[in-house]
């Protein structure tokens, strides 16, 4: 079966660093994606990992370990606008993405 | 960057009526589009894969006769919710991948919030 787990909620303060973890057990794997979704809006693409290691993109970094079925999204220098849901998604053969339930991040001042 | 346009943004309809949602790729051709549904505080659930010029592939548990998908061209896919009921109220989002590589990200439309009264 398909199983993608991530924490339901996290809180942090402005300027801090937060790490959102994701573990997955899926029948196929064509890469791991992270999306940001603000309430009532469509998801926007943040990052993609297909090989083990760290991918850095400005304030956002994403890590993948395929052998452990594990990824994390690291957000640095948190800003209030980073309050959103963060979705971990696994790429499947045939190009569809299977999403986790999302982690709601609340950033306070 | 790649843009996916979805229309309408929101719709309220009466139980028993049908609603059509359009999804267009504005600056790229999308051989395949994906339709997702999202209930409040839930994840995006893949409903179906829409293939240009052929029948859609539906996920288990999704009624193909209720959710009609038509992918008439490389830039347009439509989802019609037939005989809508209140339990069909949800956020429907389409997405498309630019290019054929599996490592290209999906681009999402802005979603359609359907409320069935």
């Amino acid at each position: 079966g398909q199983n993608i787990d991530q924490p339901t909620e996290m809180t942090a303060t402005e300027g801090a660093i937060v790490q959102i973890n994701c573990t997955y057990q899926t029948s196929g794997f064509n890469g791991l994606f992270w999306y940001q979704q603000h309430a009532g809006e469509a998801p926007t693409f943040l990052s993609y990992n297909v090989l083990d290691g760290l991918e850095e993109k400005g304030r956002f970094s994403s890590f993948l370990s395929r052998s452990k079925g594990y990824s994390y999204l690291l957000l640095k220098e948190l800003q209030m606008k980073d309050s959103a849901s963060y979705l971990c998604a696994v790429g499947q053969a045939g190009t569809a993405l299977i999403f986790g339930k999302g982690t709601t991040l609340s950033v306070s001042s | 960057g790649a843009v996916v346009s979805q229309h309408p943004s929101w719709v309220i309809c009466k139980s028993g009526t049908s609603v059509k949602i359009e999804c267009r790729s504005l600056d790229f051709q999308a051989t395949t589009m994906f339709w997702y549904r999202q209930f409040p505080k839930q994840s995006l659930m893949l409903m179906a894969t829409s293939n240009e010029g052929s029948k859609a592939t539906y996920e288990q548990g999704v009624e193909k006769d209720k959710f009609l998908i038509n992918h008439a061209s490389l830039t347009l896919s439509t989802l019609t919710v037939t005989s809508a009921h209140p339990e069909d109220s949800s956020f429907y989002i389409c997405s498309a991948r630019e290019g054929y590589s599996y490592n290209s990200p999906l681009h999402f439309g802005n979603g359609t919030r359907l409320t069935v009264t």
Side-chain angles (χ1 to χ4, degrees):
Chain A
Q2 316 277 45
N3 196 38
I4 301 175
D5 285 322
Q6 48 183 134
T8 305
E9 295 180 337
M10 297 184 73
T11 59
T13 54
E14 266 188 306
I17 299 173
V18 70
Q19 177 174 313
I20 303 174
N21 296 322
C22 172
T23 58
Y24 63 90
Q25 292 175 308
T26 56
S27 57
F29 183 81
N30 276 339
L32 191 129
F33 297 77
W34 284 95
Y35 282 80
Q36 180 191 63
Q37 185 180 26
H38 286 98
E41 298 180 7
T44 55
F45 170 73
L46 289 179
S47 70
Y48 167 76
N49 295 70
V50 67
L51 299 176
D52 290 353
L54 188 68
E55 293 283 341
E56 296 187 79
K57 237 184 191 184
R59 294 191 300 116
F60 297 86
S61 303
S62 57
F63 172 84
L64 175 67
S65 169
R66 288 170 296 170
S67 62
K68 294 181 179 178
Y70 168 70
S71 173
Y72 68 71
L73 179 70
L74 193 71
L75 294 79
K76 303 175 186 175
E77 301 170 16
L78 280 174
Q79 302 173 10
M80 298 292 284
K81 66 178 183 179
D82 296 328
S83 294
S85 284
Y86 291 86
L87 308 175
C88 172
V90 173
Q92 298 280 285
T95 73
L97 290 186
I98 304 300
F99 284 85
K101 291 187 176 181
T103 299
T104 300
L105 174 66
S106 299
V107 181
S108 59
S109 57
Chain B
V3 177
V4 175
S5 174
Q6 188 172 339
H7 178 81
S9 299
W10 59 271
V11 58
I12 301 172
C13 70
K14 292 186 177 180
S15 187
T17 60
S18 296
V19 173
K20 179 185 281 189
I21 302 170
E22 291 189 349
C23 180
R24 295 179 185 274
S25 55
L26 295 186
D27 50 1
F28 66 100
Q29 293 184 331
T31 308
T32 304
M33 290 186 175
F34 305 95
W35 287 95
Y36 288 86
R37 179 169 53 182
Q38 187 176 34
F39 292 105
K41 298 189 178 181
Q42 298 292 316
S43 183
L44 282 80
M45 298 300 297
L46 180 66
M47 297 177 66
T49 301
S50 170
N51 302 298
E52 187 267 336
S54 65
K55 291 183 179 180
T57 304
Y58 290 82
E59 295 298 302
Q60 192 173 10
V62 178
E63 299 174 59
K64 62 180 181 181
D65 294 330
K66 181 171 182 62
F67 299 99
L68 301 179
I69 291 173
N70 183 278
H71 197 146
S73 75
L74 286 172
T75 59
L76 174 64
S77 175
T78 60
L79 167 68
T80 301
V81 183
T82 62
S83 187
H85 290 286
E87 57 265 31
D88 298 324
S89 298
S90 186
F91 192 49
Y92 294 85
I93 312 176
C94 71
S95 65
R97 175 172 276 115
E98 183 181 13
Y100 297 95
S101 174
Y102 62 79
N103 62 355
S104 299
L106 284 185
H107 299 285
F108 287 86
N110 284 331
T112 298
R113 187 160 302 283
L114 171 64
T115 303
V116 184
T117 61

